Amino acid sequence: MLLGDLAAHTAAPNPAAVALVDIAGGRSIDYRSLAALVDQAAAALAASGLRAGEVVGLRGANTVAYVVGLLGAARAGLVVAPLDPALPPDEQHDRMSRLGARAVLTDAAGAPLDDCPELTVEIDGGRCTVSGVPAAGGDPTAVGLTPADAMVMFTSGTTGRPKMVPWTHAALAAAMGNIVSAYRLTADDATVAVMPMFHGHGLVAGLLATLSSGGRVGLPAKGRFSVHTFFDELAAAGASWVTAVPTMYQVLLDAAPAGAAAGARLRFLRSCSAPLSPAVAQRVETAFGAPVLSAYGMTEATHQACTVTVAADTDTRLHTVGTAVGVEVRIAADGEVLLRGPAVTRGYLGDAAATTAAFTDGWLHTGDLGSTDPAGVLTLRGRIKNIINRGGEKISPEHVEEILLAHPDVVQAAVFAVPDVKYGEQVAAVVVLRAGASFDAAALHAFCATRLARYEVPERISPVDQLPVTAKESVDRHRLAEQFG
């Protein structure tokens, strides 16, 4: 199935089923209406002069216009490249220029990018209009795009220029199927799209997989996650599950009204894009009265590769990322996790050296350390690039974070390397405390010392009001190292 056919395909057997719950607008959009809006968007984009195979950017919050713009562009045969609205204009321009994009689709006019004009997608009742004129653009084949490609995603780029990852229609179809089968999603299920759709987590797991199952997607009132509206949004959408990153769950645990989580009545909660500590997972399960299922994925695998299922035992649920879904997993001699399968991409666009380094005979070198048991359950040990080398001792920051998060006063924690004259690198940590707690560095050091090897105990622990995060809401260790190094 082509991405542009998704709405029409799902509408065929049950056109009156609700596809989107527009919480801000107080309305629901059924699959028949969504398919019609998508067709209108596709026709308008074609009428503007855009042709199949050309590239358009897509920038906006999680709104009806964003969903229709995405599927409408795909319906018109365009290759879509989502953009983080928070990126500086020069970075957005760099990404669009590299792809030769002819326009940026947006739900709200902003600062136009040089040589890449905005096309505004507007939804008025049952009508979709697109205003604006695309630029001449470049040749998409120059960076290696093919007719099989549906989207281009950018890696996080926190320590270098973001790489361009092509997602084919076939890979997206496989990825959607993997999500639906892993969690047994049906037309009776619903979620709220709290993860941004410019990132694979929110796009594949939150939006596309749900639509492919015939379920409902609630669009947050503010177009993004808000702890203040989260539980009302779950109720408005009739949510049966939700997918988010650990930082969101930690914020909810600290700020949610008493009893709100238990009243959500979710079938399960999914956590992905960053490690979820067992201590936090247990708190979430207790608060919501539902299992937390950790998943593992990356952009180069079209999001999910492994997940814990509802049937998993407690140890598997709290300490692993489960088993492979639709991919093969192999552990290299040095402990690196390798992936291969239909949803694994072919490489990076316009970067032969990076492709050669990361892909070997169809196997993706993930950069993650891990191990599997005889049943194929994967346990992650941390990112290779995050490993702290303290005088020859290799330390996983994720492991140290687990220990800090087990302390009852710690809501969030981040561990990173700082330069050290004697050891080369030293362990540093920052923590966000629960409301009303007082920071006591000595007590936190003592807590860690009874649970970690001596060399793993952070040399410095500092309090912060909030952690810096990347576009996908995972902790930005690079920024922390710059700030505290």
Side-chain angles (χ1 to χ4, degrees), residues 276-278 281-282 285 292 294 308-309 311-322 373 377-379 381:
L276 179 67
S277 80
Q282 287 179 311
E285 291 194 345
V292 176
S294 288
V308 175
T309 63
D313 59 64
T314 301
D315 186 65
T316 298
R317 203 170 62 249
L318 295 180
H319 297 282
T320 80
V321 291
D373 69 9
V377 175
L378 176 64
T379 300
R381 310 296 182 190

Side-chain angles (χ1 to χ4, degrees), residues 296 298 300 328-340 348 354-360 363-372 378-385 387:
Y296 168 60
M298 57 197 312
E300 293 87 342
E328 298 175 70
V329 176
R330 181 160 65 90
I331 307 299
D334 61 357
E336 184 178 15
V337 179
L338 308 183
L339 302 175
R340 183 172 67 180
Y348 303 110
T355 298
T356 299
F359 296 85
T360 305
W363 288 98
L364 166 64
H365 293 256
T366 65
D368 292 305
L369 296 170
S371 61
T372 55
L378 176 64
T379 300
L380 295 177
R381 310 296 182 190
R383 291 286 292 169
I384 293 174
K385 68 179 182 181
I387 293 296

Side-chain angles (χ1 to χ4, degrees), residues 44 51 55 108 114 268 304 314 346 392 409 432 435 476:
R51 296 292 177 262
V55 180
D114 293 340
F268 66 90
Q304 181 175 283
T314 301
R346 64 182 180 272
D409 287 343
V432 177
D476 192 333

Side-chain angles (χ1 to χ4, degrees), residues 31 81 85 147 169 260 333 347 445 447 475:
Y31 276 95
H169 292 278
H445 275 104
F447 182 83
V475 174

Side-chain angles (χ1 to χ4, degrees), residues 20-47:
L20 304 176
V21 180
D22 178 13
I23 295 171
R27 61 171 178 157
S28 295
I29 299 172
D30 60 33
Y31 276 95
R32 178 194 294 112
S33 300
L34 177 59
L37 289 169
V38 168
D39 282 343
Q40 292 168 25
L45 291 168

Side-chain angles (χ1 to χ4, degrees), residues 246-323:
T247 51
M248 290 180 176
Y249 291 127
Q250 290 163 337
V251 168
L252 286 169
L253 287 173
D254 192 48
R265 300 184 182 279
L266 298 176
R267 185 161 67 87
F268 66 90
L269 301 96
R270 179 179 183 269
S271 180
C272 194
S273 300
L276 179 67
S277 80
V280 173
Q282 287 179 311
R283 292 175 197 164
V284 173
E285 291 194 345
T286 299
F288 281 86
V292 176
L293 310 180
S294 288
Y296 168 60
M298 57 197 312
T299 305
E300 293 87 342
T302 320
H303 187 48
Q304 181 175 283
C306 299
T307 189
V308 175
T309 63
V310 174
D313 59 64
T314 301
D315 186 65
T316 298
R317 203 170 62 249
L318 295 180
H319 297 282
T320 80
V321 291
T323 54

Side-chain angles (χ1 to χ4, degrees), residues 1 6 42-43 60 89 144 190 224 226-227 230 259 276 283 293 297-298 307 333 347 416 424 447 460 475 482:
M1 182 182 67
L6 177 60
R224 57 180 174 77
S226 170
V227 67
F230 176 77
L276 179 67
R283 292 175 197 164
L293 310 180
M298 57 197 312
T307 189
F416 49 95
F447 182 83
R460 295 187 250 158
V475 174
E482 287 182 338

